[in-house]
Amino acid sequence: MALTRTIFIAGAGIGGLTAALSLARKGFRVVVLERVQRLEEAGAGLQLSPNASRVLIDLGLKERLGRRAVTPEAVTIVSARAGGELVRLPLGEAASARAGAPYWVMHRADLQAALADAVREHPDIELKLGCQFEDLAPHAKGLTIVYRSGNERRQDIALALIGADGIWSTVRNHLFPETQPQFSGRIAWRGTLDARQLPREYTAPRVQLWMGPKAHLVVYPISAGKQINLVAVVPGTWNRPGWSAPGNPNELKEAFGGARWAGAARMLIGAVDDWRKWALFSLAEGCKWHEGSVALLGDAVHGMLPFAGQGAGMAIEDAAVLAKVLGETPLEPGAQVAAALQRYGRARRARVTHVQQLARRQGRIYHMSGAMALARDLTIRALGPERVLARQAWIYDWRL
Ligand SMILES: Cc1cc2nc3c(=O)[nH]c(=O)nc-3n(C[C@H](O)[C@H](O)[C@H](O)COP(=O)(O)OP(=O)(O)OC[C@H]3O[C@@H](n4cnc5c(N)ncnc54)[C@H](O)[C@@H]3O)c2cc1C
């Protein structure tokens, strides 16, 4: 394969692996650099709404992912203030048929493993684990990419570089060092429970959202229903980067201890022994997407708060759009590549900004208290399931 068809991707997360598969399908040779030696089990569940699952299915991953994902029948929203279910949004098979793709929830590690398996099987993709992107230099033939493998510094020539290296992106730091993640003042705690430990009513294929003053809890099954994933979000000042620091369960029990929290939520919180926490950081809306023959993708350009359930979904959409744009015209190194990457950024910017804003707004809504929470609960009840779901249509109905 000609050198001019080689694209390097920094980062084998959800976005980087999806981009590798999408670009290889357009005839590119792809090299993925991933700094860790082994793809980690760390992380919690992810939600993949139809806009994202449609892309993955189109890449031929339906069976692989279907084995590990759960299709929830509904999302239930419960208010600690009102003490009961405010609304039940039907998902399940009927909604999947309507959207033309399923709503899936699954463990991040399962999704990453399925993508990595497909990548390893592809003859035009090379996945280099234990290789950390370090530097780049543009020139007439494209880019020289410099990366480290153990003590060795290596370099290669590529047509383009895609920085899919997450919210703490080295590629972004190289291009736009002024753009840095901001701490949100919130901490997400993740725990999992063996579904066999729990009564059936808690293990149904449902996404449950409990909202309370300054805290919320999201619960759903993952790993083909064998495990129940809990994510509790509370305010805090602890702000170290990372995804999986051990957390003291007593801190969380205190946050959810008030009599207002439903017994079910308190029981679930109390049942987890091993809590892991991550400080929630995000990037400001409107970051730059590319410079020359280098573009950013996923959290590297729009690391967002998780309250719209679209962090992975937007990275997956980015990957599909990037491959479409780069695959549209024959590319010579330099100006043509830069022009294509500019089109990619233009195609993504407005939609992603809306999703980032939605995530911030939902975070505020979930944690309301007092009169604001009362107004919120009355509004959700008055809207009812159909109108609440219709408000998500602009996200779920997206197509390439
Ligand atoms: C270990 C881990 C656990 C996570 N857990 C959760 C979770 O529980 N819930 C949630 O909502 N989100 C989680 N996320 C984030 C979530 O995966 C992303 O928000 C979303 O999927 C978008 O993915 P992404 O591909 O843009 O970035 P990421 O999924 O963050 O992937 C970035 C990848 O780049 C690699 N990388 C970083 N720097 C370099 C470098 N210099 N050279 C080469 N490779 C590099 C990282 O090791 C990582 O594999 C987690 C991310 C990671 C890395």
Side-chain angles (χ1 to χ4, degrees), residues 9-18 32-36 38-48 107-109 111-112 128 130-134 147-148 163-171 188 190 220 229 231 242-244 278 280 297-307 309-316 318:
I9 297 177
I14 308 309
L17 292 171
T18 310
V32 185
L33 304 175
E34 169 53 56
R35 76 171 165 198
V36 301
R38 266 187 69 241
L39 297 178
E40 293 178 62
E41 288 281 317
L46 291 175
Q47 309 203 29
L48 293 175
H107 199 296
R108 180 185 180 275
L111 174 58
Q112 191 181 30
K128 287 176 176 279
C131 290
Q132 174 157 347
F133 163 81
E134 283 196 346
Y147 58 97
R148 180 170 295 281
D165 50 345
I167 190 159
W168 302 101
S169 170
T170 311
V171 178
R190 169 186 56 92
Y220 52 81
N229 176 70
V231 178
W243 297 102
S244 210
W278 80 95
L280 295 177
L297 180 151
D299 280 9
V301 61
H302 51 65
M304 62 181 75
L305 297 172
F307 311 132
Q310 289 296 326
M314 288 302 117
I316 290 167
D318 292 347

Side-chain angles (χ1 to χ4, degrees), residues 8 87 156 165 200 203 211 231 241 248 282 311 348 400:
F8 268 62
V87 76
D156 267 307
D165 50 345
R200 268 180 77 97
T203 61
M211 303 180 294
V231 178
N248 176 355
S282 67
R348 295 300 295 151
L400 188 58

